[in-house]
Amino acid sequence: QVQLVESGGGLVQTGGSLRLSCAASGRTFSNYAMGWFRQAPGKEREFVSAISWLRTTYYTDFVKGRFTISRDSAKKTAYLQMNSLNPEDTAVYYCAAAPYGSAWLAPSAYNYWGQGTQVTVSS
């Protein structure tokens, strides 16, 4: 079992930055891929970014060059640095974990989820 707690969301103006954190507890953090998803009102959940147990990273097209994912095994924390934010980035952002050896690029691999943190970008 893995417990995930996100933090770092908030209100920011267009062009601003936020860094989201996802603190993990429970089983060995390094054995999981960590992903970030988001869901805007009235829209389906989107896969934003992920980092594997080998620190291989993935970014969806709409965040490439703006968002950076990272992980700190000593702190059992994953991060999502978000720069050049725009109103279309407004959503609840969720952290999730996929077990070692899973198809971590597939959203269905993520079976542990945090409660979400709200990100609002004003125009």
Side-chain angles (χ1 to χ4, degrees), residues 38 47-49 58-68 80 83 89 93:
R38 71 186 188 186
F47 191 11
V48 175
S49 181
Y58 160 81
Y59 299 95
T60 193
D61 286 346
F62 52 77
V63 305
K64 281 181 180 177
R66 299 191 298 127
F67 292 10
T68 302
L80 186 68
N83 299 328
D89 295 316
Y93 283 70

Side-chain angles (χ1 to χ4, degrees), residues 44-121:
E44 293 187 353
R45 187 174 61 196
E46 298 177 313
F47 191 11
V48 175
S49 181
I51 184 167
S52 76
W53 42 87
L54 296 177
R55 299 178 181 270
T56 305
T57 58
Y58 160 81
Y59 299 95
T60 193
D61 286 346
F62 52 77
V63 305
K64 281 181 180 177
R66 299 191 298 127
F67 292 10
T68 302
I69 192 170
S70 61
R71 62 190 299 160
D72 185 330
S73 295
K75 296 182 178 179
K76 294 186 178 182
T77 302
Y79 303 96
L80 186 68
Q81 177 67 44
M82 304 187 297
N83 299 328
S84 301
L85 287 163
N86 59 66
E88 289 70 37
D89 295 316
T90 295
V92 177
Y93 283 70
Y94 296 92
C95 171
Y100 179 83
S102 64
W104 64 278
L105 292 175
S108 59
Y110 292 82
N111 50 9
Y112 297 102
W113 293 84
Q115 82 289 350
T117 185
Q118 176 70 47
V119 171
T120 303
V121 185

Side-chain angles (χ1 to χ4, degrees), residues 6-23:
E6 302 97 333
S7 61
L11 174 64
V12 65
Q13 292 185 333
T14 295
S17 298
L18 285 172
R19 188 176 81 155
L20 305 183
S21 299
C22 174

